[in-house]
């Protein structure tokens, strides 16, 4: 490891994971440092969804997108007029 490389505080991370979060050792060692930081609330969470962001996502990912030329339509709709 180079002199300029960031060093991890393993003792502190173990205390936080095993003692504070009460993780089983197997669960602790399966985590990445980023996952542990997230569990401890050290990283900022995603901002709340706004109306503008929801509208943008609806525009980008519509529920019923227009058909793509050359791609068969896989939406199978049942005939509602059929007698059963």
């Amino acid at each position: 490891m180079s002199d300029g490389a960031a060093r991890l505080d393993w003792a502190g991370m173990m205390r936080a994971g095993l003692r504070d979060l009460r993780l089983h050792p197997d669960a602790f060692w399966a985590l990445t440092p980023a996952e542990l930081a997230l569990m401890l609330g050290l990283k900022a969470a995603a901002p709340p969804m706004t109306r503008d962001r929801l509208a943008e996502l609806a525009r980008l990912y519509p529920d019923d997108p227009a058909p793509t030329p050359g791609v068969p339509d896989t939406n199978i709709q049942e005939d509602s007029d059929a007698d059963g």
Side-chain angles (χ1 to χ4, degrees):
M1 183 181 293
S2 68
D3 292 336
R7 297 186 185 266
L8 296 176
D9 177 12
W10 285 107
M13 289 193 309
M14 290 174 65
R15 268 192 309 278
L18 300 173
R19 184 188 67 196
D20 299 342
L21 294 176
R22 298 177 183 247
L23 294 173
H24 189 274
D26 290 343
F28 172 80
W29 289 111
L31 294 171
T32 65
E35 291 168 329
L36 181 61
L38 181 65
M39 291 177 75
L40 291 169
L42 301 177
K43 303 264 179 171
M49 181 68 68
T50 64
R51 287 182 187 264
D52 290 339
R53 179 65 176 145
L54 180 59
E56 178 185 8
L57 290 172
R59 181 181 53 78
L60 292 172
Y61 306 101
D63 288 337
D64 192 14
T68 304
V71 177
D73 184 10
T74 57
N75 284 336
I76 300 172
Q77 297 179 358
E78 294 183 25
D79 186 8
S80 60
D81 294 328
D83 293 329

